[in-house]
Amino acid sequence: MENEGSIAIVGGVPGVGKTTVINKALEFASKNDFEILIIVYGSVMMEIAKEEFNVQHRDELRKLPTNTQKEIQRRAAFRIGKRARGKVVIVDTHYTIKTGSGTFLQGIPQWVSDGLNPKLLVLIETDPQEIFQRRAYDQSRTRDQDTVNVLFEHQLINKTVASTICQKTGALLSVIKNRQGKSDEAGKELFLHLKALKS
């Protein structure tokens, strides 16, 4: 459909360099006069939480009843879908979130994938040892001290989740490696995938 958006969900474990790769892709898009809209899923959830549930901070959002959080998550998917009409859009989110208890929370349950109807799913990955080292040297963020094995497991779980979403939606799947010092290459690969959505 002409007014349907071309949504690409882009995710990766914390410390993989997802934001860097997205920014590199946007640089390539700008040089090629190709418009890409970026939407952070959590920010849209906060908009809805403020408007309809009087939530002022993200910490309050996490304290809402689970069913309320799910409803906000569902509404956010449809709001993003409306904003995406006629555009190529990156939805910046998490496929899974590792909880404090060591379990994994779904970032894109079925009611989200149904609302977004993505055309492309992108996983930003690299060697777990690299992620471990990046987290150790990044003093600007407070991140979990996961072992290399846990990081490997988290990336594998993300792949499984992404594959399941693709099976249900018919979306394409790409795994982009963001190796140390190679973010330009990863960003270009992401840009080319996004450009192909308009072909």
Side-chain angles (χ1 to χ4, degrees), residues 110-129:
Q110 187 169 348
W111 56 87
V112 171
S113 60
D114 286 350
L116 293 177
N117 189 25
K119 301 292 181 283
L120 172 68
L121 276 71
V122 178
L123 282 162
I124 308 297
E125 289 192 351
T126 195
D127 184 271
Q129 185 66 45

Side-chain angles (χ1 to χ4, degrees), residues 129-167:
Q129 185 66 45
E130 280 190 29
I131 301 170
F132 182 83
Q133 289 170 347
R134 288 175 194 175
R135 287 187 181 185
Y137 291 119
D138 185 1
Q139 301 300 314
S140 66
R141 303 284 294 274
T142 303
R143 291 192 165 114
D144 293 341
Q145 296 300 311
D146 293 328
T147 64
V148 170
N149 285 341
V150 168
L151 292 168
F152 175 84
E153 181 182 56
H154 196 170
Q155 288 194 136
L156 185 60
I157 290 168
N158 280 350
K159 255 189 235 167
T160 304
V161 168
S163 297
T164 302
I165 295 167
C166 287
Q167 185 181 32

Side-chain angles (χ1 to χ4, degrees), residues 30 44 54 184 186:
S30 178
V44 179
N54 199 31
D184 277 344

